[in-house]
Amino acid sequence: MKKLKWPLATFIISSFGIFIYLFLIKKSVTVQSISDTFFIVSLFFLIIGIAMWIMSSGFFDNFQYFMKKAFQWRKKNEPKEFIPFSEIGNAHRLYWLETGGLLLIPAIVSLLFYFF
């Protein structure tokens, strides 16, 4: 449970924000609007999580290295070492994916209620 502490907290805060948005701003709380809003918010988290997952696989490390070498002549005082993309988002990608997955569950459940 400690592992899901921050994604669960973000899920709860996002859920309250979604319902406040639907009640106060949109003034239309239907099963379809709940499903659509949860899906859009979960899509935000899932896109960031998937992008970090792809970057952490090491796919872009060679591209980053060659671009660093190609433009090295411009900045002579810059250090030679660089942080590869595979190390940047490695620690927090599960947070984004778990939060997006938790937000996707109410979207799918409300979509099932909409169709049945």
Side-chain angles (χ1 to χ4, degrees):
M1 186 66 187
K2 187 174 182 168
K3 185 179 177 185
L4 279 175
K5 180 177 144 182
W6 288 108
L8 194 59
T10 307
F11 166 72
I12 292 170
I13 292 169
S14 299
S15 298
F16 281 134
I18 287 170
F19 283 115
I20 288 171
Y21 166 74
L22 289 175
F23 278 118
L24 298 179
I25 296 172
K26 205 168 183 188
K27 295 180 183 172
S28 167
V29 182
T30 61
V31 178
Q32 182 182 5
S33 66
I34 291 171
S35 175
D36 292 345
T37 311
F38 269 101
F39 179 74
I40 294 298
V41 174
S42 72
L43 197 62
F44 168 75
F45 285 98
L46 287 174
I47 287 173
I48 292 174
I50 290 171
M52 285 184 161
W53 185 21
I54 291 171
M55 284 184 359
S56 71
S57 70
F59 182 76
F60 294 108
D61 286 348
N62 288 332
F63 178 74
Q64 180 188 13
Y65 174 74
F66 289 128
M67 286 296 114
K68 183 83 169 170
K69 286 291 185 186
F71 294 108
Q72 187 175 11
W73 55 271
R74 281 186 164 178
K75 300 175 184 174
K76 298 188 190 258
N77 295 334
E78 190 174 323
K80 306 269 189 221
E81 296 295 320
F82 69 98
I83 301 171
F85 281 143
S86 59
E87 295 177 11
I88 292 174
N90 203 13
H92 299 289
R93 74 168 188 254
L94 283 178
Y95 163 78
W96 294 97
L97 290 172
E98 289 170 350
T99 305
L102 286 173
L103 287 168
L104 193 61
I105 291 170
I108 292 172
V109 169
S110 60
L111 187 66
L112 290 175
F113 280 126
Y114 177 72
F115 282 118
F116 295 116

